[in-house]
Amino acid sequence: MLKLENVIAGYGRTRILHGVNMNVPKGGLVALLGGNGTGKSTTLKSIVGLVAVQEGEVILDGKVINAVPPEQRVSHRLSMVPQGKEVFGAMSVEENLLMGAFHRRKDRREIAEDLEGVYRRFKRLKDRRAVSAGLLSGGERQMLSIGRSLMARPSVLLLDEPSAALAPRVVEEIAEAILDLRSLGLTLLLVEQNVGMALDIADYIYVIRGGRIAYEREVGSGIAMDELQEFYLGGDKH
Ligand SMILES: Nc1ncnc2c1ncn2[C@@H]1O[C@H](COP(=O)(O)OP(=O)(O)O)[C@@H](O)[C@H]1O
Ligand SMILES: [Mg+2]
């Protein structure tokens, strides 16, 4: 469904990704792990078009989308929940959610349905629909950020560190919400630093280091934690 083939990308002349290969099958839940500054966000940004791909291909449903502008990738049902739980703090929860449907603002009935869908999934957002987003807790902001992406009706959803800086109980809620989305048939690519959470829910993992995929394995095939740690934490052996 979503494929990266030898993707080289970066900022200006600086190359950050040095030939990334990944495959996210339809309906799959794939995790991309790695330490700080290894290129995880850059990978997601190159998929949604916020970072220009210098070489290689981003392929969605068999089509190379390198040249498709970011706003059109949303219409291609590709949506990203950015790192940092960013919300429009001065706007209400509901206004934030409606922003996610901005590109199809004429489909009023569909939008009302989708809004109800998000509220069913995240009941706390419904209770707080009229509250300024700036007043939400970290967990609620993450839910709002996911909800806003869902308002774009994606078939592929990219999540950038949704569990960061959240209490364990809230991380569990977020993990359940992600599994729930998967059961609806969404294709998911999850960037995480929380290895435990990723291994709990993903079916395949990649570890990125220095802009290259250093390790990949199917979850459940007996991933050796010490091996994973070694690739994850670094050292210059690889
Ligand atoms: N907008 C930017 N301009 C220049 N360099 C950047 C920018 N964003 C990230 N970088 C650099 O790219 C590298 C990878 O960043 P990033 O993909 O955000 O890492 P991760 O998400 O894995 O923590 C880092 O060295 C970072 O400093
Ligand atoms: Mg990042």
Side-chain angles (χ1 to χ4, degrees), residues 178-217:
I178 293 170
L179 284 175
D180 192 36
L181 295 177
R182 194 254 183 92
S183 71
L184 291 178
L186 251 83
T187 300
L188 294 144
L189 176 56
L190 169 70
V191 159
E192 264 303 332
Q193 296 219 37
N194 185 333
V195 179
M197 186 260 220
L199 289 178
D200 273 350
I201 65 173
D203 32 51
Y204 199 90
I205 58 159
Y206 290 92
V207 179
I208 188 169
R209 262 187 53 194
R212 288 187 175 85
I213 299 298
Y215 179 88
E216 62 179 281
R217 187 101 358 136

Side-chain angles (χ1 to χ4, degrees), residues 26-52:
K26 191 171 166 53
L29 202 179
V30 171
L32 175 62
L33 308 172
N36 265 328
T38 49
K40 303 182 299 300
S41 295
T42 303
T43 302
L44 295 193
K45 286 179 195 163
S46 69
I47 296 171
V48 293
L50 295 176
V51 164

